[in-house]
Amino acid sequence: MVTLKEIAERCSVSIATVSNILNGKQNVSESTRKRILQVIKETGYKPNYMARGLRASKTHSIGLILDDLTEFSSPGIVDGIMSHFEEYNYKTIIENLRFYSKWGTKWYQNEGYRESVSSAIEEFLAIKVDGIIYVAGHSRDINCIPSDLNIPFVISYAFTDVPGISTVEIDDVKSASNMTQYLIKNGHKSIAVVAGKKDNIHTVRRLEGIKQAAAENGLKIDDEIIVYGDWMSDSGYNACRVIFNSKKEFSAIFCLNDLMAAGVYSYLNEIGKTPQKDVSIVGFDNRTLSRYLKPSLTTMEIPLVEIGKKSAELLLNQIESDKDVATQKYFVPCNLIERNSVRYIK
């Protein structure tokens, strides 16, 4: 078995330097850190995390609590979290609560929800993880976290009023505003909206951004052509039918996610109209299907990996700091992906 001493000798550094790298300390040069990590990878060196944790009061392990790994946002966020912690030699342990798989979209009404979260937290505390990240399936107020937790804790993709917990969310308002500005710059002054569920925070914030951008350009979004769906393709199809039957003027439809945009495409095809040529369509999320729609869909890309990395960064700062670190509410902006579904109007 390769030892810490052998790693140090191969890299011509002290054992303390290798130990610092393994502990995520950053008092060495980047080139030295990369060289040591490369030798560790080549030799297959496996630190004894539990033994080291007993000596240093750390286990170098992180607990990840997931609403549901099958949610489209979860894999990217988890990948970002794990990739960041791998750089600092922390291990991640996943507790997948499978809420959507077990209880569907109304899972938060199930009495077992809070109990499941509490149980996951207790399990991680029992094995003495150094910190916990809660990865939400969608943005919402997470109010089931105890306020007296004596461990670094970050919520990813959602928010909370519990003191002492940092949060990382997508900037729905700014992102929707940017997409609306894009449509307006392309000559669209009458914009219909296929929204998600009316009480959903993503819906509320994205509508705020849309109306904000319209007002900044002296325009107004007609409430009669804001039609609410449920984030699924069928609701996009039905919403598009309502918009066309309203007889209101519009040249573009902003769908608040890509699945509903696919439903809009389907309805347009059924009535003999062509996306982009007859009406411009934009979406939100940048799911895989968006690039394969015909024409390919202009959309807002949620930077899921970046959200994960930022969540890990905030947690690691709390773990490694000798002082109390101020909690943060961090908003990650989305990226506009321009494809072929928007027509320029002179």
Side-chain angles (χ1 to χ4, degrees):
M1 178 182 289
V2 180
T3 65
L4 202 66
K5 181 180 179 181
E6 289 170 334
I7 298 291
E9 289 174 349
R10 287 189 56 168
C11 296
S12 300
V13 298
S14 67
I15 294 176
T17 297
V18 178
S19 179
N20 285 339
I21 293 298
L22 291 173
N23 284 292
K25 295 181 179 179
Q26 301 186 42
N27 56 344
V28 295
S29 69
E30 182 64 16
S31 60
T32 299
R33 188 178 74 86
K34 287 183 176 179
R35 186 169 79 253
I36 292 172
L37 291 177
Q38 181 61 34
V39 171
I40 289 172
K41 182 178 180 180
E42 290 172 356
T43 59
Y45 173 72
K46 300 294 183 184
N48 187 333
Y49 291 102
M50 293 307 295
R52 191 174 71 201
L54 291 172
R55 291 192 301 271
S57 298
K58 286 185 180 179
T59 61
H60 275 250
S61 59
I62 304 297
L64 301 187
I65 300 174
L66 276 61
D67 279 347
D68 200 310
L69 188 57
T70 63
E71 275 298 282
F72 93 96
S73 56
S74 296
I77 294 174
V78 170
D79 185 58
I81 291 170
M82 294 182 72
S83 67
H84 187 82
F85 280 122
E86 282 174 5
E87 287 187 43
Y88 296 93
N89 226 39
Y90 277 76
K91 296 297 181 182
T92 48
I93 305 167
I94 294 176
E95 180 81 33
N96 179 23
L97 301 182
R98 300 182 60 252
F99 287 150
Y100 291 87
S101 300
K102 291 190 293 187
W103 299 321
T105 58
K106 300 287 187 180
W107 59 263
Y108 50 85
Q109 297 177 356
N110 192 291
E111 293 181 359
Y113 156 54
R114 289 176 176 274
E115 184 180 338
S116 296
V117 174
S118 296
S119 177
I121 292 174
E122 289 174 5
E123 288 178 19
F124 282 138
L125 293 176
I127 62 174
K128 300 186 183 303
V129 295
D130 295 331
I132 298 173
I133 297 179
Y134 188 117
V135 180
H138 65 88
S139 190
R140 68 182 195 282
D141 183 5
I142 306 291
N143 55 15
C144 58
I145 309 300
S147 59
D148 58 351
L149 280 179
N150 189 27
I151 186 174
F153 200 107
V154 170
I155 289 178
S156 186
Y157 206 61
F159 57 95
T160 187
D161 291 327
V162 177
I165 296 180
S166 292
T167 59
V168 181
E169 301 175 68
I170 62 172
D171 195 337
D172 279 305
V173 176
K174 182 63 175 177
S175 301
S177 175
N178 287 345
M179 179 61 87
T180 307
Q181 295 282 7
Y182 170 80
L183 287 172
I184 293 171
K185 287 177 181 178
N186 276 277
H188 297 279
K189 297 182 178 180
S190 301
I191 302 170
V193 180
V194 175
K197 294 181 179 180
K198 194 169 186 176
D199 60 349
N200 183 275
I201 192 66
H202 290 301
T203 299
V204 172
R205 289 176 174 176
R206 290 173 195 177
L207 283 176
E208 180 185 343
I210 292 169
K211 292 179 178 181
Q212 185 182 94
E216 289 173 0
N217 289 274
L219 303 174
K220 188 177 185 300
I221 303 297
D222 190 334
D223 288 338
E224 290 190 40
I225 48 176
I226 299 176
V227 182
Y228 296 92
D230 64 2
W231 304 111
M232 297 291 103
S233 297
D234 285 349
S235 70
Y237 174 96
N238 293 329
C240 189
R241 180 173 55 198
V242 171
I243 290 169
F244 271 89
N245 288 342
S246 72
K247 306 301 181 184
K248 292 283 186 173
E249 180 184 347
F250 62 93
S251 60
I253 302 176
F254 189 168
C255 304
L256 298 194
N257 81 342
D258 295 342
L259 289 180
M260 293 189 297
V264 168
Y265 270 55
S266 180
Y267 182 78
L268 291 177
N269 179 65
E270 190 173 290
I271 63 174
K273 293 189 178 294
T274 305
Q276 196 262 5
K277 180 181 177 181
D278 295 311
V279 58
S280 293
I281 312 293
V282 296
F284 207 109
D285 288 347
N286 193 34
R287 293 203 186 198
T288 302
L289 67 86
S290 62
R291 74 188 70 174
Y292 296 110
L293 293 171
K294 301 296 182 182
S296 56
L297 181 67
T298 292
T299 187
M300 294 301 294
E301 177 185 49
I302 301 176
L304 299 171
V305 173
E306 183 181 342
I307 289 171
K309 287 184 176 180
K310 188 63 183 180
S311 302
E313 178 187 325
L314 293 181
L315 189 72
L316 191 58
N317 285 344
Q318 294 181 46
I319 293 170
E320 295 291 338
S321 177
D322 294 329
K323 301 177 181 179
D324 289 338
V325 178
T327 57
Q328 296 185 44
K329 294 186 182 297
Y330 193 89
F331 291 86
V332 180
C334 297
N335 309 309
L336 196 156
I337 306 297
E338 186 175 4
R339 295 196 178 102
N340 303 312
S341 60
V342 175
R343 177 170 63 93
Y344 176 76
I345 298 176
K346 293 183 180 180

